[in-house]
Amino acid sequence: MSNSLATSHCLSPPLAKLERRGRFSSEARKAFLAMPYQRQAIETRTDIVREGERTRGCSFIESGTVSRSKLLPSGGRQIVSFHIAGDLVDLQSALLIVADHTLRTHEPSFVVKVSERAILKVAEDFPEIGRSFWFDTMVDASIFREWSLNLGRRSARERTGHLLLELGYKSEAAGLSPRSEYRLPMTQLDLADALGLTVVHVCRSLKWLREMGLLHLDRTRVVIPDWDALAHFAQFQPLYLHPEGPRALAS
Amino acid sequence: MSNSLATSHCLSPPLAKLERRGRFSSEARKAFLAMPYQRQAIETRTDIVREGERTRGCSFIESGTVSRSKLLPSGGRQIVSFHIAGDLVDLQSALLIVADHTLRTHEPSFVVKVSERAILKVAEDFPEIGRSFWFDTMVDASIFREWSLNLGRRSARERTGHLLLELGYKSEAAGLSPRSEYRLPMTQLDLADALGLTVVHVCRSLKWLREMGLLHLDRTRVVIPDWDALAHFAQFQPLYLHPEGPRALAS
DNA sequence: CGAAGTTTTGAGGACCTTCAAAAGTTGTGG
DNA sequence: CCACAACTTTTGAAGGTCCTCAAAACTTCG
């Protein structure tokens, strides 16, 4: 748990993500990077934020993989999203007082924590940053809507394919890998919890996708040999990720 | 389609919703109500915004009921949320350039449309309003997460009960009715599209809930005779609606 | 009053789950 | 570096939830 100070390149991944959608002024950039933070190395399968607890600061992912999940009293778990390097995975803690879901790592990760106050201040002082945060929350919401569609209206095989396409797409957008070949640190049980299925059926769905030539799996490596074929099968259209970025401001 | 001008009480329902979570300064309130708008009467089952189209202005609900839904190329439809009087149902159009879902009325409704520019300006000029918008988007996102849990991990009966509890809760919070007795303008087909089920199975689920004494249905009227019993059965906990409101600003 | 839409019921079938166990992989300590 | 334990993936068999197809009863609206 090292402390702030000095050249804060730990905040670069989230800044880069925000700036993919539109450049900031250099003052805004400077103010963003000047936020005090704490950097933490988190090991695999460790909770960063727990459902029901009061929020304390906003966590960004510098590197690694994190999921958001919700628990049912009866024991069921639903993963509602996966996040990778650069994701502002915990922006909601800036305004929401109590966490409605759990954040947990799926591989050794580095997490950068900034106080809510600093987030809210930089959002207020630099409206371009405030809008960028708001836009990020909107895209998040859009992704949740797509997951509802996935869970409610797609078959297990389509659902599985769709998730793997989304992960590839986001990985490429974050500059981590080509979209059709990436590392997948999640177990099939994790995938099952994200897909609203059982491990057994995820395994069978993956097997079917492999047999159809739509997918190659090698340990933790996903290869999508024909992106368009799988995208067609799973009805994947990246519109919901809003790659077009936010509305440009007219004068 | 009457025009702006004069005392704008059409914007009162959305303003009231925002102020439930924390009062605005009188200048902020005045600026909010001073936004130019268009008021439209929309008949039942009419699209306000269509998936894939460019966004043009933000719609608020003055009165009525509206759903958000996404379509599958294969014809499936998934409703991802329902909205009632006061809901800022279309805030995302302020920043998202192309709509990722459709907004449609479920009863005759009055909708108030404000330009994105006016929204962004009032959010910038009054940070308290900007934060309030952002908070609203966050709560929206939280509700989508809960729907993912609902679709992925609850049985048809639990799912159905959970939705009816959410609608009652929101209806009471909006000051429209007691939570355990409200009007439901949606058909069972609509509920099916929201629950990821078929009409047939929604009908059977409702029948079962009725037989268990957890629910009374009288035409368009829902009565929940024992709120706690149904809430226990459906594992409904309103935490995800964040009734506690946004973080109060220190200093 | 007739037409269109909505709700309800029945019967059969499909998709996904549950339970169980084997095979394969990863991590740890001796 | 091997041995062993814990975990993960895979396969099989049986069963249940939810779907499909079909049609009747009921409601709404012009």
Side-chain angles (χ1 to χ4, degrees):
Chain A
M1 199 185 293
S2 71
N3 214 312
S4 47
L5 301 178
T7 50
S8 39
H9 71 283
C10 294
L11 287 172
S12 291
L15 178 63
K17 184 181 182 194
L18 293 174
E19 288 208 85
R20 262 192 267 144
R21 286 110 174 230
R23 311 302 264 175
F24 289 158
S25 66
S26 63
E27 305 84 56
R29 199 175 300 137
K30 209 155 66 181
F32 186 92
L33 291 174
M35 290 191 295
Y37 64 85
Q38 285 192 323
R39 181 168 185 258
Q40 276 179 278
I42 317 260
E43 56 188 13
T44 304
R45 294 179 213 211
T46 307
D47 291 346
I48 300 172
V49 171
R50 255 196 216 96
E51 186 174 352
E53 290 185 354
R54 285 182 68 89
T55 54
R56 294 258 313 267
C58 299
S59 299
F60 300 148
I61 309 178
E62 185 190 336
S63 67
T65 304
V66 168
S67 70
R68 309 197 206 196
S69 61
K70 293 173 71 89
L71 247 56
L72 237 35
S74 52
R77 183 173 72 133
Q78 178 67 43
I79 291 180
V80 297
S81 60
F82 287 116
H83 294 275
I84 56 178
D87 280 351
L88 292 80
V89 75
D90 197 22
L91 263 188
Q92 67 276 350
S93 290
L95 287 173
L96 302 184
I97 298 171
V98 35
D100 56 75
H101 61 272
T102 296
L103 292 179
R104 152 173 275 211
T105 53
H106 287 259
E107 62 180 334
S109 306
F110 279 96
V111 163
V112 176
K113 185 172 272 187
V114 179
S115 74
E116 318 89 36
R117 188 173 310 191
I119 293 291
L120 294 175
K121 180 155 192 342
V122 80
E124 177 166 345
D125 292 347
F126 298 88
E128 54 188 322
I129 295 183
R131 269 192 303 272
S132 193
F133 285 157
W134 190 15
F135 177 80
D136 194 80
T137 302
M138 284 182 183
V139 174
D140 252 33
S142 175
I143 296 174
F144 294 137
R145 290 191 284 269
E146 185 73 21
W147 280 48
S148 284
L149 176 62
N150 215 23
L151 290 164
R153 287 294 181 226
R154 278 193 261 253
S155 72
R157 290 161 181 176
E158 293 168 337
R159 227 182 285 180
T160 307
H162 195 279
L163 174 59
L164 294 177
L165 289 163
E166 180 181 305
L167 293 175
Y169 191 97
K170 285 173 67 171
S171 182
E172 179 170 283
L176 297 176
S177 74
R179 65 184 183 177
S180 54
E181 191 170 348
Y182 60 93
R183 213 170 43 76
L184 186 79
M186 291 75 101
T187 67
Q188 290 185 12
L189 180 57
D190 295 325
L191 296 180
D193 283 339
L195 294 167
L197 299 168
T198 57
V199 209
V200 174
H201 206 63
V202 166
C203 182
R204 289 196 230 270
S205 298
L206 289 171
K207 183 185 177 189
W208 187 88
L209 290 170
R210 263 185 275 124
E211 286 172 353
M212 294 300 286
L214 292 170
L215 195 65
H216 293 229
L217 283 175
D218 166 32
R219 317 258 165 166
T220 74
R221 191 138 210 89
V222 173
V223 178
I224 300 169
D226 184 342
W227 180 273
D228 292 340
L230 187 55
H232 180 259
F233 169 73
Q235 309 186 307
F236 176 83
Q237 289 178 294
L239 168 67
Y240 74 96
L241 295 163
H242 292 281
E244 76 277 11
R247 189 182 301 286
L249 296 168
S251 67
Chain B
M1 200 185 294
S2 72
N3 212 314
S4 47
L5 302 178
T7 51
S8 38
H9 70 281
C10 295
L11 287 173
S12 290
L15 178 63
K17 185 181 182 195
L18 294 175
E19 288 210 84
R20 262 193 266 146
R21 287 113 171 225
R23 310 302 265 175
F24 289 158
S25 66
S26 63
E27 304 84 57
R29 197 176 300 137
K30 209 155 67 182
F32 187 92
L33 291 173
M35 290 190 294
Y37 64 86
Q38 285 193 321
R39 181 169 185 258
Q40 276 181 279
I42 316 260
E43 55 188 13
T44 304
R45 293 178 214 215
T46 307
D47 291 346
I48 299 172
V49 171
R50 253 194 220 98
E51 186 175 353
E53 290 186 353
R54 284 182 69 88
T55 54
R56 293 259 312 267
C58 299
S59 298
F60 301 147
I61 309 179
E62 185 189 337
S63 67
T65 305
V66 169
S67 69
R68 310 196 205 197
S69 60
K70 292 172 72 88
L71 246 57
L72 237 37
S74 53
R77 184 173 70 133
Q78 178 66 44
I79 291 179
V80 297
S81 61
F82 288 115
H83 295 274
I84 57 178
D87 280 352
L88 291 81
V89 75
D90 197 22
L91 263 188
Q92 68 275 350
S93 290
L95 288 173
L96 302 185
I97 298 170
V98 34
D100 56 75
H101 61 272
T102 296
L103 292 179
R104 153 172 274 212
T105 53
H106 287 259
E107 62 179 334
S109 305
F110 278 96
V111 163
V112 176
K113 185 171 272 187
V114 179
S115 74
E116 319 88 38
R117 187 173 311 191
I119 292 291
L120 294 175
K121 180 156 193 340
V122 80
E124 177 166 347
D125 292 347
F126 297 88
E128 53 187 323
I129 295 183
R131 269 192 303 271
S132 192
F133 285 157
W134 189 16
F135 178 78
D136 194 80
T137 302
M138 284 181 183
V139 174
D140 252 33
S142 174
I143 296 174
F144 294 136
R145 290 192 284 269
E146 184 73 21
W147 279 47
S148 285
L149 176 61
N150 216 22
L151 291 164
R153 287 294 180 223
R154 277 193 261 253
S155 72
R157 291 162 180 175
E158 292 168 337
R159 227 182 285 181
T160 307
H162 195 278
L163 174 58
L164 294 176
L165 289 163
E166 179 180 305
L167 293 175
Y169 191 98
K170 286 174 66 171
S171 183
E172 179 170 283
L176 297 175
S177 74
R179 65 183 182 177
S180 55
E181 192 172 346
Y182 60 94
R183 214 168 43 76
L184 185 79
M186 291 74 100
T187 67
Q188 290 186 11
L189 181 56
D190 295 324
L191 296 180
D193 283 340
L195 295 167
L197 300 169
T198 58
V199 209
V200 173
H201 206 64
V202 167
C203 183
R204 289 195 231 269
S205 298
L206 289 171
K207 184 186 178 189
W208 186 88
L209 289 171
R210 262 186 275 123
E211 286 172 353
M212 294 300 286
L214 292 170
L215 194 66
H216 293 229
L217 283 175
D218 167 33
R219 319 260 162 159
T220 73
R221 192 137 209 91
V222 173
V223 178
I224 299 169
D226 184 343
W227 181 273
D228 291 341
L230 186 56
H232 180 259
F233 169 72
Q235 310 186 307
F236 176 83
Q237 290 176 295
L239 168 67
Y240 74 96
L241 295 163
H242 291 281
E244 76 277 10
R247 189 182 301 285
L249 296 169
S251 73

